[in-house]
Amino acid sequence: MSEKLHYFRQHKLPHIWCAGCGHGTTTNALVAAAAKIGLDKNKTVIVSGIGCSSRAPGYLDFDTLHTAHGRALAFATGVKHARPELKVIVITGDGDCAAIGGNHFIHAARRNIDITTIVMNNSIYGMTSGQFSPMTDKGRLGTTAPYGNVERSFDLTKLSIAAGATFVGRATAYHVQLLTQLIEKALQHKGFSVIEAVTQCPTYYGRKNKIGSAVNMLNWYKERAVNVKAAAAMSADKLEGKFLIGELYHEIAPEFTEEYRKQVEEIKRNLNKGGQ
C-alpha cells in the first residue's frame, strides 16, 4: 500500500467521482502498475483533457497537464517530442478521445509515438449530464438520445490497431488484475499503446438505461467479457453479444521520436560534410 501511496497526492483525496464510478478503480490500477515496475514519477508526465476521467491527474503525484477538451494527445505529443526521455501517459475518456479528440488519436497511433493512452470508456459523457458518445451502443439512452441512440458505436481497440497502435489491450473495472497487468505491459512498451478500460457510470448510463447499481453493471461486464485466449476456442454463436478483453495486439515497430532524431542527425552530418 505504501508503494502506491507514493504516487498519490494524498492531500487531494478523497476523490470527487460518484459512488460506484469505475474511474477510481482504473486510476488505482494505473498506480498499482506504476508501483510494480518502479516508475520514476520525476521522469513521468501525465496528460488529460476534459471529462470525468480527466480529473485523475489531479490525484496523482507526477508532473501533470490538464488540457483542453480532446487535445490531451496533442499536448502529450508535444511533451514527448520535446523531451523524448520522459515517460508520457495520457488519461482520457470515450468522448474526449474518440469524439472531439479522434483526429489526434488516430495520428498519434499512426506515428507510433511512445505514449501510453488509457481510455476510460463509460459509454457516455458523464461530466456534462449524460449525452451519448461515440462509444454508446445503438439503442441506449442518453440526455441527447431520449428515445435511444440511432448511431452505431465503433470498437476503439480495432480503430487503434487499424490506425497503427503497436500495443492494444482491453479490460474492465471488474477484471482489475487483468487491467493492472495490461497497463503494466503498456507502460513498458516502446510505441503507441492503448488500454481501453471499460468502466461503469451508474449515475447516468446505468440509471438512464435501467441497468441498476454499480454492482449490477460490474456483473454485466463479468457475464459478457471474454478473454481473447478463451475466445479463440469459442464458436461465433457463443461469442454473440460478448466483447473481448486481454492483450489484443502487440508488435514492434519504429518509434516516432527516435526516427525523427535519426533524421535530424543525418541532416546535421550531411550539412557538416558540405561545409568542409
Side-chain angles (χ1 to χ4, degrees):
M1 178 61 73
S2 61
E3 291 179 347
K4 290 199 293 184
L5 288 176
H6 170 70
Y7 294 101
F8 281 108
R9 292 171 176 154
Q10 297 178 50
H11 65 285
K12 294 290 187 180
L13 299 173
H15 63 68
I16 62 170
W17 288 308
C18 298
C21 173
H23 288 359
T25 303
T26 305
T27 302
N28 189 60
L30 168 59
V31 168
K36 182 75 179 296
I37 65 175
L39 189 66
D40 187 346
K41 66 181 184 180
N42 295 314
K43 295 181 180 178
T44 302
V45 178
I46 298 183
V47 185
S48 67
I50 298 295
C52 294
S53 62
S54 296
R55 186 66 189 94
Y59 306 117
L60 300 173
D61 191 21
F62 296 81
D63 288 320
T64 57
L65 290 174
H66 192 186
T67 70
H69 194 198
R71 312 306 177 200
L73 276 163
F75 279 83
T77 296
V79 171
K80 186 65 182 180
H81 202 14
R83 296 287 301 277
E85 74 278 9
L86 298 177
K87 172 61 66 179
V88 179
I89 302 168
V90 166
I91 298 176
T92 182
D94 47 306
D96 187 55
C97 175
I100 190 171
N103 192 52
H104 297 304
F105 181 77
I106 61 174
H107 290 293
R110 176 180 65 84
R111 294 183 179 105
N112 193 36
I113 191 166
D114 187 19
I115 295 172
T116 298
T117 301
I118 300 170
V119 185
M120 298 187 193
N121 175 17
N122 59 7
S123 302
I124 203 162
Y125 284 90
M127 189 187 75
T128 51
S129 304
Q131 300 92 333
F132 74 91
S133 85
M135 307 304 295
T136 305
D137 288 335
K138 186 176 181 180
R140 291 295 190 178
L141 301 173
T143 55
T144 47
Y147 303 104
N149 178 27
V150 298
E151 297 182 4
R152 295 188 300 166
S153 62
F154 55 73
D155 186 324
L156 188 65
T157 59
K158 289 181 179 178
L159 175 65
S160 304
I161 296 166
T166 49
F167 186 92
V168 180
R170 180 198 284 132
T172 78
Y174 176 84
H175 302 87
V176 181
Q177 289 185 335
L178 175 62
L179 180 58
T180 303
Q181 291 166 5
L182 289 172
I183 294 174
E184 181 185 340
K185 288 182 178 180
L187 290 173
Q188 296 176 95
H189 174 75
K190 179 171 283 189
F192 191 69
S193 55
V194 179
I195 302 299
E196 181 185 352
V198 182
T199 66
Q200 72 278 9
C201 175
T203 301
Y204 280 113
Y205 190 79
R207 177 171 56 84
K208 286 187 175 295
N209 289 285
K210 296 180 172 56
I211 298 173
S213 68
V215 173
N216 295 132
M217 298 186 78
L218 287 168
N219 282 327
W220 192 91
Y221 298 153
K222 177 185 176 182
E223 293 164 3
R224 288 167 177 77
V226 178
N227 193 287
V228 65
K229 295 178 181 178
M234 295 172 65
S235 66
D237 290 342
K238 289 186 176 180
L239 288 172
E240 185 69 29
K242 311 287 187 182
F243 63 93
L244 299 182
I245 58 173
E247 185 178 317
L248 305 179
Y249 188 75
H250 186 193
E251 72 162 314
I252 304 299
E255 191 273 329
F256 174 73
T257 61
E258 287 189 352
E259 293 301 299
Y260 192 92
R261 273 154 181 75
K262 285 179 185 177
Q263 186 181 70
V264 169
E265 291 304 315
E266 181 65 24
I267 292 170
K268 286 181 179 178
R269 284 194 294 269
N270 289 336
L271 288 173
N272 289 335
K273 287 178 182 178
Q276 292 176 355

